[in-house]
């Protein structure tokens, strides 16, 4: 499975962006899809997760502002980001995790099997 993230850009505080994660292959529907972000000089942190049945999990810092979703027919995942803040500035990565024998919810980097390249989100104040 290969993942391609897109949709990043420069936005003013309070604005919105929608990130997309396009997957190749025919197993996307059986994978959990997550988003992580990494700010300069910081660790790569969990942002949001959507399971194969649509259950969602969010980091406290984005809950109520970000919405994760998926469209299995399009092999795609999405992250709608509203009310953006300067502290949301980071490189955003989409990732996918297998489900067999795995715990729910996966929220650490090593629980994800596939990664896309990052897409940069910059929020100006």
């Amino acid at each position: 499975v290969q993942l391609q993230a897109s949709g990043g850009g420069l936005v003013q505080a309070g604005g919105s962006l929608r990130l997309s994660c396009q997957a190749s292959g025919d197993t996307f529907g059986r994978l959990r899809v997550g988003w992580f972000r990494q700010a300069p000089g910081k660790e790569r942190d969990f942002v949001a997760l959507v399971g194969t049945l649509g259950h969602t999990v969010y980091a406290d810092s984005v809950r109520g502002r970000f919405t994760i979703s998926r469209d299995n027919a399009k092999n795609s995942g999405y992250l709608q980001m509203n009310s953006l803040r300067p502290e949301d500035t980071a490189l955003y990565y989409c990732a996918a995790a297998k489900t067999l024998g795995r715990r729910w919810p996966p929220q650490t980097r090593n629980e994800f099997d596939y990664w896309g390249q990052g897409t940069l989100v910059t929020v100006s104040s």
Side-chain angles (χ1 to χ4, degrees), residues 8-77:
L10 173 64
V11 64
Q12 288 188 330
S16 299
L17 281 175
R18 188 192 195 209
L19 305 184
S20 297
C21 180
Q22 180 70 51
S24 65
D26 58 1
T27 61
F28 179 77
R30 298 197 294 271
L31 299 172
R32 296 161 176 166
V33 179
W35 288 91
F36 286 72
R37 66 186 181 186
Q38 188 166 16
K42 295 189 176 180
E43 297 289 318
R44 190 176 299 186
D45 292 330
F46 170 80
V47 175
L49 168 74
V50 58
T52 56
L53 300 179
H55 296 103
T56 57
V57 178
Y58 295 94
D60 290 343
S61 58
V62 307
R63 188 177 295 111
R65 300 187 297 123
F66 291 11
T67 302
I68 190 171
S69 61
R70 64 189 299 159
D71 185 337
N72 291 340
K74 296 182 179 180
N75 268 14
S76 294

